Amino acid sequence: MTTNPLKTSTPIFEVTLPTTQQKVSCRPFLVKEDRILLGAKESGTPEDIALAVQQIVRNCVLDRDFDVTKLNTIDMNALFLRIRSEAVGNVVKVDFVCNNTPEGSEQECGGEFQFVLDLKTATHRSLQTFEEVELTPEYMVKFRYPLFEKIRNIKSTDTEEIQTAKKVQAVVDYVVSKDKDAKEIVLDDLSLEFINEFIEGLTTDQLGIINQFIDDIPEMMIDAKTKCPKCGFEHDGHFENLQSFFQ
């Protein structure tokens, strides 16, 4: 078998995952991964971007026993940003069209410029550990940060009921009856049909407990300021989640 004489070496670095403190060995992404990301950006759909992020992380993590499908969204985002930063630097430029209406004008400015984002400044709200909380008089529930794999599989073409069931499955680790010696019911082991039946049996307030948890999940955030070169208006930019970083 003929081997390619053109070999390149790539640096190896270690990343500590924010929520689990697990240490993971990685390499930067290369031209082939950059092409994956470029194709997803051109598509522009959340599904394609999420799939590209997952594939790039799978390619670049060197630990053989590492299962990328078990990553929650916070750890996945942090891992991807570090892999990307090691490859092409910390700076991302995001296109923007000025929506300021200058004094004396009836139309928006429309000037085109870019926000310059420093990925090293990305932050998120405080992380937490999870304990069982009461969901109904019969059941306790334990939340978790949503699994990236579960969120990735929420499709824009899904019905509202299926989207809700997938979101609940992503953020609920298990449900357990208050009965003594009751076994935990792991939602990953249930069909979406069973989960949907469970949701339909909740009151609005009980479903609100789950929705509030989803709303409070910390996103990666970057704040930036820049002036429109056309009208001089200073814009405050607030960017959350990977898609907004690379739009």
Side-chain angles (χ1 to χ4, degrees), residues 28-29 80-91 119-120:
F29 72 59
F80 173 80
L81 289 183
R82 177 66 186 280
I83 289 170
R84 191 267 182 199
S85 297
E86 291 287 338
V88 295
N90 301 313
V91 174
L119 298 182
K120 281 188 174 180

Side-chain angles (χ1 to χ4, degrees), residues 47-245:
E47 293 94 339
D48 285 346
I49 291 175
L51 181 60
V53 167
Q54 188 180 63
Q55 183 60 56
I56 289 169
V57 170
R58 179 182 285 112
N59 290 358
C60 296
V61 171
L62 303 178
D63 299 340
R64 290 185 177 181
D65 59 347
F66 187 79
D67 187 353
V68 70
T69 65
K70 301 300 183 184
L71 283 174
N72 61 50
T73 55
I74 294 173
D75 289 341
M76 177 70 83
N77 292 348
L79 193 51
F80 173 80
L81 289 183
R82 177 66 186 280
I83 289 170
R84 191 267 182 199
S85 297
E86 291 287 338
V88 295
N90 301 313
V91 174
V92 173
K93 296 180 179 180
V94 178
D95 294 331
F96 193 81
V97 176
C98 180
N99 55 9
N100 174 53
T101 302
E103 187 176 352
S105 174
E106 296 181 355
Q107 296 181 339
E108 292 183 351
C109 165
E112 298 180 359
F113 58 93
Q114 293 180 320
F115 279 100
V116 179
L117 309 184
D118 183 353
L119 298 182
K120 281 188 174 180
T121 67
T123 60
H124 48 67
R125 295 190 298 273
S126 298
L127 302 177
Q128 59 179 304
T129 56
F130 303 111
E131 298 179 354
E132 292 177 359
V133 297
E134 182 179 288
L135 182 64
T136 74
E138 297 85 15
Y139 289 107
M140 304 290 287
V141 62
K142 185 177 180 182
F143 290 115
R144 63 184 176 189
Y145 288 126
L147 294 180
F148 189 91
E149 172 78 2
K150 300 291 185 183
I151 296 298
R152 183 183 71 77
N153 283 319
I154 298 175
K155 309 296 184 184
S156 57
T157 54
D158 288 337
T159 64
E160 183 178 352
E161 290 78 10
I162 292 299
Q163 288 186 6
T164 300
K166 287 182 176 181
K167 288 178 183 178
V168 170
Q169 188 180 52
V171 301
V172 173
D173 190 359
Y174 63 79
V175 176
V176 62
S177 170
K178 292 182 181 179
D179 294 339
K180 186 178 180 181
D181 299 326
K183 293 184 178 181
E184 299 168 356
I185 303 170
V186 179
L187 265 64
D188 285 344
D189 297 337
L190 298 183
S191 68
L192 293 175
E193 180 182 2
F194 285 166
I195 294 172
N196 188 53
E197 288 180 6
F198 176 70
I199 293 170
E200 290 182 341
L202 299 176
T203 67
T204 302
D205 287 344
Q206 290 164 350
L207 181 58
I209 294 172
I210 300 175
N211 287 333
Q212 187 62 55
F213 175 81
I214 294 173
D215 290 342
D216 290 342
I217 293 170
E219 292 274 10
M220 299 290 290
M221 301 178 293
I222 298 179
D223 291 319
K225 293 179 179 288
T226 192
K227 284 187 178 181
C228 172
K230 183 176 179 181
C231 70
F233 183 80
E234 184 172 61
H235 290 264
D236 292 317
H238 180 74
F239 302 86
E240 293 191 8
N241 70 53
L242 288 180
Q243 187 176 1
S244 69
F245 296 172

